[in-house]
Amino acid sequence: MLNKPFNDIRLDDIYALKTNAIEEGKSIDYKLELHLNNGRERKEFAADITSFANTSGGDLIIGVSEDQGIITELQGIEVEDKDKFILKIESLVRDTVAPQITGLDMNFYQMGDENKYILHIRIPQSYVGPHVVNGEKFYGRNNAGKYPLDFVEIKQRFTLSNQVQEKIKYYHSERIMKIKAGEGYWELGGGASLLINIVPLQSFSESVYVSSLTPTRFKLNTLFGNDSYDHKIQFEGISGVFYHSYHHINRQGIIEFADKDILENMKSRMSYISAKPIINRILETIPSAFHNLKELGLHGPYVIFTSVLDVKNVQISYNEHSYTSTNLRQNDLIFPAIMITNSSDLSDYDRVLRELFSNAAGFTPNLSS
């Protein structure tokens, strides 16, 4: 794999692969052409993509000739419409691979000719696999290239995926207990609290360690204070803190929003909790978390956990025009985990928040309100 952030790679870096005689292998593959006109060609390309995703990720360089795995010439491929070509690739991968692979990066590096390019595709290691092509075969990679996985290797990859999921569930339970015990990353005070954890799957399957805590790298908007916050650095990471609300990035690259101001202010002002403004505030704020994760090179998928804690006997409404006649019997509202594969599309998360907050208030959800 090219040891460089994807967005920093230029055509000169591809030439350097040739100059330095970098041999293709487990994490990099060279191809002269890319044809996707028939089923066999599409299946072969999907096998290439999944082989990287099912192993440790890597770079696919298209438009170069090679001899014994070493680039001999950069020839480029002709592309009339780059956006249309990328959409074609994305559609193919979406239609032929299950479960879906997320986080593919693609770029064209223009050659001398106006319509000739080197196509570079970076495939991240997947943590929701293994991925299968057309429901038939699983592929992996070694130094000789891609190969069909055998039964034992397929089982190992499923086991790894399940282990990652169990670690994430345990982490979430631990964070709930910490907040309820008053042991968050920063002092929140007493009362009901809102807790959101955003966990990149990479954080539990790789050795992720966040070392550079320069405040200017991050947008640490809090649920209560928006972009009004103080940067605070500690042993466990960096936070934006505003009164009893914080946005924290820990050393594994996991985001935690914890807030006691929103719920407590509502309770004192209206004697009940109104869900709709809370949902709106969440959806306005968490894009800053995805900015931070991408800054750290953590491109997903992500798991979002949402919890409303210590709210027993509190009245809850969906909006400010109506509220339940009975108090909440549950002490804690633990929402189901939501997998986010595209951080610009939070529609599933939005739907779950609105549906379950409406249910908690005793109503059939009206998702258009």
Side-chain angles (χ1 to χ4, degrees):
M1 179 181 285
L2 286 160
N3 189 25
K4 198 171 185 181
F6 185 81
N7 291 333
D8 294 341
I9 296 172
R10 301 292 182 265
L11 184 61
D12 286 345
D13 297 298
I14 308 301
Y15 274 109
L17 295 173
K18 174 180 180 291
T19 302
N20 298 324
I22 302 300
E23 189 174 354
E24 64 182 356
K26 185 177 180 180
S27 62
I28 193 165
D29 193 20
Y30 306 135
K31 291 189 178 298
L32 178 58
E33 299 174 322
L34 179 60
H35 297 297
L36 305 173
N37 300 317
N38 58 53
R40 182 187 60 79
E41 292 170 343
R42 291 192 290 270
K43 184 176 179 180
E44 181 70 14
F45 177 70
D48 288 327
I49 297 294
T50 58
S51 71
F52 283 108
N54 286 338
T55 310
S56 53
D59 293 301
L60 184 57
I61 310 296
I62 301 168
V64 299
S65 57
E66 54 86 17
D67 182 29
Q68 297 184 358
I70 294 175
I71 295 176
T72 56
E73 186 179 356
L74 276 69
Q75 297 188 19
I77 59 173
E78 289 191 6
V79 179
E80 295 294 333
D81 188 327
K82 292 183 291 181
D83 291 336
K84 187 175 180 180
F85 199 83
I86 286 177
L87 288 174
K88 184 176 182 179
I89 291 174
E90 291 175 338
S91 177
L92 184 154
V93 173
R94 184 170 57 249
D95 293 342
T96 59
V97 175
Q100 288 189 23
I101 294 175
T102 61
L104 288 181
D105 285 315
M106 288 181 269
N107 201 3
F108 291 95
Y109 310 121
Q110 189 168 13
M111 306 286 289
D113 188 282
E114 183 179 349
N115 292 325
K116 276 210 164 186
Y117 302 87
I118 301 297
L119 171 58
H120 178 195
I121 304 176
R122 174 163 288 178
I123 305 98
Q125 179 180 353
S126 177
Y127 308 102
V128 294
H131 301 272
V132 63
V133 177
N134 285 342
E136 298 172 357
K137 285 189 177 182
F138 297 86
Y139 293 89
R141 291 190 71 82
N142 55 27
N143 287 333
K146 71 172 180 290
Y147 67 95
L149 296 175
D150 62 27
F151 174 77
V152 173
E153 291 173 307
I154 294 170
K155 185 177 179 181
Q156 287 173 340
R157 282 162 172 78
F158 274 116
T159 299
L160 174 61
S161 180
N162 291 335
Q163 287 174 343
V164 169
Q165 293 176 38
E166 288 303 314
K167 288 179 181 178
I168 291 174
K169 288 179 183 178
Y170 178 81
Y171 169 83
H172 178 233
S173 297
E174 185 180 54
R175 292 311 305 165
I176 288 176
M177 289 188 288
K178 290 284 188 182
I179 296 298
K180 289 174 69 66
E183 298 175 5
Y185 290 112
W186 298 97
E187 180 61 41
L188 292 175
S193 56
L194 177 61
L195 175 67
I196 299 172
N197 297 101
I198 305 178
V199 184
L201 268 63
Q202 287 170 262
S203 296
F204 284 94
S205 52
E206 296 181 4
S207 298
V208 175
Y209 180 75
V210 177
S211 58
S212 177
L213 299 180
T214 308
T216 52
R217 293 182 67 193
F218 305 114
K219 297 180 180 179
L220 296 167
N221 305 46
T222 64
L223 289 170
F224 183 70
N226 195 9
D227 55 357
S228 299
Y229 56 82
D230 295 323
H231 291 105
K232 293 194 176 184
I233 297 174
Q234 54 164 229
F235 181 80
E236 296 175 295
I238 185 169
S239 296
V241 181
F242 185 82
Y243 290 96
H244 304 110
S245 186
Y246 67 70
H247 172 169
H248 183 81
I249 308 171
N250 78 1
R251 298 289 182 175
Q252 287 180 270
I254 299 172
I255 303 284
E256 179 167 293
F257 291 96
D259 183 284
K260 292 205 174 185
D261 283 319
I262 289 178
L263 300 183
E264 288 302 309
N265 282 353
M266 282 186 174
K267 285 166 58 181
S268 62
R269 181 167 54 89
M270 302 184 297
S271 76
Y272 63 91
I273 292 172
S274 181
K276 189 173 182 179
I278 295 174
I279 295 168
N280 292 340
R281 189 75 197 110
I282 291 172
L283 296 174
E284 289 169 3
T285 306
I286 60 174
S288 64
F290 292 120
H291 164 87
N292 296 334
L293 292 169
K294 289 177 181 177
E295 176 68 23
L296 295 170
L298 301 172
H299 295 283
Y302 313 103
V303 181
I304 300 187
F305 295 97
T306 306
S307 308
V308 184
L309 306 175
D310 298 317
V311 288
K312 189 171 184 177
N313 294 325
V314 174
Q315 286 187 319
I316 183 169
S317 73
Y318 180 71
N319 55 49
E320 296 178 354
H321 304 295
S322 59
Y323 56 91
T324 55
S325 58
T326 58
N327 294 337
L328 285 170
R329 298 184 63 185
Q330 305 92 336
N331 193 55
D332 304 315
L333 304 179
I334 310 299
F335 289 66
I338 300 296
M339 180 79 74
I340 300 295
T341 57
N342 178 1
S343 61
S344 63
D345 181 8
L346 299 177
S347 56
D348 286 345
Y349 183 51
D350 184 0
R351 178 184 55 78
V352 168
L353 289 178
R354 294 181 189 280
E355 181 175 14
L356 293 186
F357 267 119
S358 282
N359 291 163
F363 298 108
T364 301
N366 181 1
L367 301 183
S368 62
S369 65

